[in-house]
Amino acid sequence: TTSRSEFRAQVPTLFKDYADFVVLASGVVEILLGAGLVFLWKYRVQIGWLVALFFIAIFWGNISQYVNGIDAFGLNSDKARFVRLLFQPLLVVWALASTGAWRSIRR
């Protein structure tokens, strides 16, 4: 809660005036989603979809960090920031596959 500057660097410039709120709100959502996966396993498919949507929503911040050349989390070059973009879709697939959400669309 006190070291948010690295996270604020990922907030898209459109929301720069609300960067602190966006960081806090997304952190609360992330904690709730994680807790949901642990304690509400019965609803893992639905939570898996929510986690995937969350990863898609925050991808905008990663794109903004790359486009605007903002250093954060040790990503201090365009190459490093670009490579990171390639991993975000894998997180979406992982959320869907590990919770059974991927299989739910095939039913």
Side-chain angles (χ1 to χ4, degrees):
T1 60
T2 59
S3 302
R4 296 189 291 261
S5 63
E6 296 281 317
F7 291 99
R8 282 193 296 261
Q10 295 181 291
V11 175
T13 54
L14 179 66
F15 299 114
K16 70 178 180 171
D17 293 338
Y18 308 101
D20 207 45
F21 172 76
V22 170
V23 168
L24 290 172
S26 66
V28 168
V29 170
E30 194 169 355
I31 290 168
L32 291 173
L33 289 170
L37 286 171
V38 172
F39 297 111
L40 302 172
W41 189 244
K42 177 181 176 182
Y43 301 101
R44 67 186 174 275
V45 171
Q46 294 88 344
I47 297 172
W49 283 107
L50 292 175
V51 171
L53 289 172
F54 177 77
F55 285 145
I56 291 167
I58 64 171
F59 189 47
W60 185 15
N62 296 345
I63 293 170
S64 175
Q65 184 180 5
Y66 170 70
V67 169
N68 295 305
I70 300 170
D71 295 346
F73 296 111
L75 303 172
N76 55 5
S77 70
D78 285 341
K79 180 181 177 183
R81 287 184 287 271
F82 179 77
V83 169
R84 181 181 192 202
L85 294 178
L86 301 176
F87 285 95
Q88 198 73 16
L90 294 177
L91 289 174
V92 172
V93 170
W94 185 25
L96 296 173
S98 66
T99 60
W102 194 268
R103 284 187 302 259
S104 74
I105 61 173
R106 294 174 46 188
R107 288 187 231 157

